[in-house]
Amino acid sequence: MLRVAMWNTNRVPAAHLCSALVHEHNANVLIVLEALEPKATYLDFLNEDGSGRWHLSPGLCERIDMYTRFPQEMSRVEAESKHYTVRSIHLPGFPTVTLVGVHLQSKLHQNEKSQQFEAMSVMKVVRDHEARVGHRRTVITGDFNMDPYEIGMVSTLGFHGLASRRTVQEGHRVVMGDAYDLFFNPMWGHFGDGSARPHGTYRYWSAEHVCQEWHLFDQVLVRPELMNSLPSASVLILETIGKTPLTSSRGVPCVSDHLPLMFGLSIQEVSS
């Protein structure tokens, strides 16, 4: 089981909360975006039980920090830039998984067309990596700064993340004679007000004629090869960590401006 917690902390002191989060949900990977505190502080909180099991998975991506509850040699950097990191996760007895962390540019700094091209750029790196390692057991998670329905998220040359498991199970979609590989994006199912769960991961409210209020910028996408390993019920947007509320009485994020994402992959062991 690969259990991943991901949070854009918006440069607030959150190491103690991230530690509580991973212990509450039994995560073995923590991805932190926009961390304020030093990595050593995170490690101190993560290992405050004295176990020493949490390690920094080192990399050069300035916007994304990754910590794992397994040794560093089981997580290898394959490609990086300022806005993404591609890691191979190889746990003993399990097939290697590609874990991609992203923190793409905000709409404050890039328009929609630029975001589309950025999505295409990241996906070229991902596809090149998949071709090189010979498998598509790929997970992408992070702050995309796009909603699931935006062009960069759904276009064939972008992340190509669709909502239907049945469609994604086919593996690819053919457009004008060319086949384009698919991702499954379970975040589509988090839209709406059908339950007590959060309405999104990020809220923007303004006195404009067009304002949708809630956004699902923080997402997880998986290839068809891992889709059955990701039950939709395992994908959680968290409003509390322990007894600490992350939203106000009106449901507005009040610690960071983003809410954390938690998901689990039930990966099958390699038969001997």
Side-chain angles (χ1 to χ4, degrees):
M1 171 72 84
L2 196 63
R3 294 187 56 80
V4 180
M6 189 283 300
W7 193 12
N8 182 337
T9 61
N10 191 34
R11 298 181 183 88
V12 301
H16 64 297
L17 287 173
C18 286
S19 175
L21 188 165
V22 299
H23 287 96
E24 179 181 354
H25 292 273
N26 195 30
N28 51 15
V29 176
L30 170 66
I31 299 174
V32 183
L33 314 181
E34 297 189 22
L36 173 68
E37 296 148 301
K39 298 176 179 63
T41 301
Y42 273 84
L43 286 172
D44 286 344
F45 277 105
L46 289 167
N47 290 309
E48 62 185 348
D49 60 357
S51 66
R53 291 183 298 173
W54 280 91
H55 306 272
L56 173 68
S57 181
L60 299 176
C61 182
E62 301 172 357
R63 297 162 64 90
I64 304 171
D65 295 329
M66 190 177 297
Y67 303 87
T68 63
R69 208 178 65 196
F70 41 79
Q72 291 180 351
E73 59 267 22
M74 296 181 187
S75 172
R76 184 176 69 249
V77 176
E78 301 285 359
E80 280 188 320
S81 81
K82 186 177 180 181
H83 300 289
Y84 65 80
T85 180
V86 180
R87 312 287 179 103
S88 285
I89 307 294
H90 190 184
L91 303 181
F94 293 88
T96 301
V97 171
T98 298
L99 178 60
V100 183
V102 300
H103 186 192
L104 303 186
Q105 283 278 37
S106 166
K107 295 181 185 300
L108 297 174
H109 307 296
Q110 279 195 340
N111 60 35
E112 184 177 3
K113 290 189 184 330
S114 291
Q115 288 186 311
Q116 294 168 25
F117 281 106
E118 182 67 12
M120 292 165 61
S121 176
V122 174
M123 274 309 303
K124 183 181 185 307
V125 173
V126 172
R127 286 191 295 268
D128 287 348
H129 168 75
E130 289 176 331
R132 186 169 64 252
V133 299
H135 72 78
R136 297 195 316 160
R137 294 184 295 274
T138 304
V139 187
I140 307 179
T141 189
D143 179 3
F144 293 79
N145 268 305
M146 292 180 282
D147 280 303
Y149 53 78
E150 293 191 57
I151 292 175
M153 297 302 303
V154 298
S155 64
T156 55
L157 294 178
F159 291 103
H160 209 191
L162 303 186
S164 167
R165 287 179 179 267
R166 180 177 299 176
T167 300
V168 173
Q169 193 64 58
E170 297 174 4
H172 63 267
R173 201 163 58 89
V174 177
V175 180
M176 299 182 69
D178 292 323
Y180 297 92
D181 294 339
L182 292 161
F183 274 97
F184 171 60
N185 187 349
M187 304 309 296
W188 286 91
H190 287 262
F191 276 118
D193 193 21
S195 71
R197 67 190 180 196
H199 309 309
T201 63
Y202 178 84
R203 182 180 184 265
Y204 175 76
W205 187 243
S206 65
E208 301 178 53
H209 286 289
V210 178
C211 180
Q212 70 183 62
E213 185 183 7
W214 282 98
H215 299 269
L216 284 167
F217 290 162
D218 308 272
Q219 304 175 52
V220 54
L221 288 75
V222 295
R223 286 293 198 197
E225 287 79 353
L226 291 177
M227 185 171 62
N228 291 335
S229 301
L230 183 71
S232 294
S234 81
V235 181
L236 304 174
I237 300 171
L238 303 179
E239 288 186 290
T240 61
I241 296 176
K243 295 182 179 179
T244 302
L246 304 180
T247 59
S248 69
S249 59
R250 297 177 58 246
V252 178
C254 62
V255 177
S256 166
D257 56 354
H258 289 252
L259 294 176
L261 195 64
M262 181 74 214
F263 61 91
L265 287 163
S266 302
I267 301 168
Q268 297 298 312
E269 294 186 56
V270 176
S271 57
S272 56

